[in-house]
Amino acid sequence: MKALVENDAETGPVVATVPVPTLQPGDILVKVAYAGQNPTDWKHAAWISRAGDILGCDFAGTVAAVQDGETRVAVGDRVAGSVHGGKFNDRGSYAEYLRVPGDLVWKLPAQVELQDAAAIGVALGTSIQAIVQSQGNAFPPAQASGWYFIYGGSTGVGLVATKLAKLLGFKVVTVASPKNFDLVKSYGADEVFDYREGADAVVANVLRVTSGGVKQALDTISEGASLAISARVIVPEGGQVNLTLTPDAATTAAYPHVKFVPKLMYTYMTQEPFSIGPRAGGAVTVPVIPGDREFYAQALTHYTDLYERGIRPPPVVLRGGLEDIPAGFKDMQDGKVSGERYVYKL
Ligand SMILES: NC(=O)c1ccc[n+]([C@@H]2O[C@H](COP(=O)([O-])OP(=O)(O)OC[C@H]3O[C@@H](n4cnc5c(N)ncnc54)[C@H](OP(=O)(O)O)[C@@H]3O)[C@@H](O)[C@H]2O)c1
């Protein structure tokens, strides 16, 4: 089959012919129809993946084979999900076929288009990991109230997280560039401010509309000024800020009333510890987090209900096929992807 694989540090990813994955117990084989692009994909290609690793996390397609005993999905079913792309030589989504455990896919209802389903996996999984699992909010119908702060409302995660927080009952205040204000409002944001006006202006505006701050927040950027801004809008009594990247210790130490919680969606997909970090050296070992995989499998059973209640992927931009992905990586690395998800047709 054809796949986008890491070649070497100089040439980066290339389209190559590689073996169709061999199924392990519990696995299904998916004929990938569309694959979405997340920042982690270019980061893996640039810094983490080793020669031969298949890139790409998000996918949607059709079940082509099931391992003996698998009953949750059948050959021909349309499914979508996410794998730890860029880490293994037999399971990335930028490939004609991928293998994935049969309980870690969303069996798509008829009304969901494959190209949309390919754009939502990491964004929705990450949002649920932060807002539902880590911060203890319930799936809909939920009873949350008050304000929720999302730093980075126009990111892929931010748009989906905004929708999710609204479905759970929160009012949402967020930040984005003015060109994306209408977009984030269309995903449900009640208030949106321009982060380019600076930290003091953002904090003052958020404290004003929330009458003093929030108890829970998701910082989808988690670097630069975002950590301090997210911490400064937490009420003085304390609260929790979930992060998508590892924070710097100096910033977190400056806000002792805030619990900073970094999470990795990859812990949803593994049954053994894995290393992550630069292939040049300095990788860290991520342990198995008890209950994570089971929580994710259960969460996936809510996806159709969430979709029917209004969860949507970020706006999809179709960008061609496997050969076009490296150019998409460059766009993302250069900060040119704004308020949208690149999706490729396999
Ligand atoms: N831990 C995990 O498991 C996990 C999962 C998913 C993502 N992530 C990480 O989370 C980050 C976001 O991922 P994503 O897919 O949501 O990103 P994305 O969709 O690629 O983000 C693009 C958006 O970032 C916004 N942005 C850039 N710099 C900003 C800043 N300083 N302040 C506010 N907004 C800014 C831009 O907003 P404007 O155009 O409006 O300016 C743009 O719309 C990435 O670093 C990704 O690697 C981690």
Side-chain angles (χ1 to χ4, degrees):
M1 68 172 185
K2 284 202 163 52
L4 187 75
V5 300
E6 185 72 5
N7 190 19
D8 58 45
E10 279 69 45
T11 51
V14 293
V15 177
T17 300
V18 300
V20 172
T22 303
L23 298 189
Q24 304 298 318
D27 279 350
I28 61 172
L29 187 71
V30 177
K31 171 95 176 73
V32 180
Y34 292 92
Q37 179 182 316
N38 292 278
T40 193
D41 300 320
W42 75 257
K43 292 177 187 178
H44 269 74
W47 301 322
I48 299 170
S49 303
R50 295 172 186 275
D53 289 341
I54 301 176
L55 293 152
C57 297
D58 282 348
F59 68 89
T62 307
V63 178
V66 298
Q67 191 70 342
D68 289 348
E70 171 56 55
T71 54
R72 290 159 291 207
V73 291
V75 171
D77 284 347
R78 297 176 336 127
V79 294
S82 309
V83 292
H84 190 161
K87 181 72 186 159
F88 305 97
N89 64 8
D90 66 351
R91 74 194 78 160
S93 69
Y94 298 156
E96 290 177 286
Y97 293 90
L98 65 71
R99 77 174 178 91
V100 61
D103 61 338
L104 296 191
V105 293
W106 174 23
K107 188 170 162 182
L108 296 175
Q111 70 270 27
V112 180
E113 301 284 348
L114 286 169
Q115 65 189 55
D116 292 335
I120 202 171
V122 168
L124 182 53
T126 302
S127 300
I128 288 173
Q129 190 176 37
I131 301 174
V132 178
Q133 187 192 19
S134 175
Q135 295 178 343
N137 298 295
F139 281 108
Q143 321 300 327
S145 60
W147 284 90
Y148 194 97
F149 177 65
I150 294 178
Y151 188 94
S154 64
T155 65
V157 174
L159 289 168
V160 175
T162 296
K163 267 279 188 197
L164 180 64
K166 290 295 292 183
L167 287 180
L168 303 190
F170 290 105
K171 286 184 279 186
V172 172
V173 54
T174 186
V175 297
S177 291
K179 67 177 177 181
N180 285 322
F181 279 10
D182 286 347
L183 175 69
V184 297
K185 285 188 171 166
S186 76
Y187 278 69
D190 297 277
E191 297 279 356
V192 53
F193 299 106
D194 181 0
Y195 63 88
R196 294 167 198 268
E197 288 184 353
D200 288 348
V202 169
V203 170
N205 279 321
V206 175
L207 293 179
R208 177 176 52 78
V209 299
T210 59
S211 302
V214 299
K215 292 183 183 145
Q216 294 181 326
L218 170 58
D219 177 355
T220 73
I221 297 294
S222 303
E223 55 188 352
S226 76
L227 288 167
I229 292 172
S230 300
R232 288 171 63 193
V233 304
I234 293 291
V235 290
E237 304 77 56
Q240 180 167 329
V241 177
N242 273 68
L243 307 171
T244 57
L245 300 176
T246 305
D248 73 272
T251 305
T252 55
Y255 300 96
H257 72 303
V258 178
K259 184 179 177 191
F260 290 95
V261 182
K263 287 280 177 188
L264 268 181
M265 195 189 156
Y266 299 129
T267 62
Y268 275 175
M269 306 164 193
T270 189
Q271 286 175 304
E272 52 197 39
F274 60 94
S275 70
I276 195 158
R279 57 183 166 246
V284 295
T285 299
V286 179
V288 172
I289 299 186
D292 257 24
R293 191 188 179 289
E294 294 74 15
F295 179 89
Y296 180 45
Q298 183 60 27
L300 283 157
T301 67
H302 290 266
Y303 277 29
T304 294
D305 181 58
L306 290 172
Y307 196 88
E308 285 169 356
R309 291 174 185 271
I311 280 282
R312 291 292 179 274
V316 168
V317 179
L318 287 176
R319 292 278 301 184
L322 280 179
E323 297 76 12
D324 302 296
I325 296 174
F329 283 181
K330 182 156 187 349
D331 278 3
M332 209 171 227
Q333 191 164 6
D334 292 345
K336 292 180 181 160
V337 180
S338 168
E340 61 202 356
R341 265 288 180 263
Y342 285 6
V343 171
Y344 303 91
K345 190 170 186 340
L346 270 294

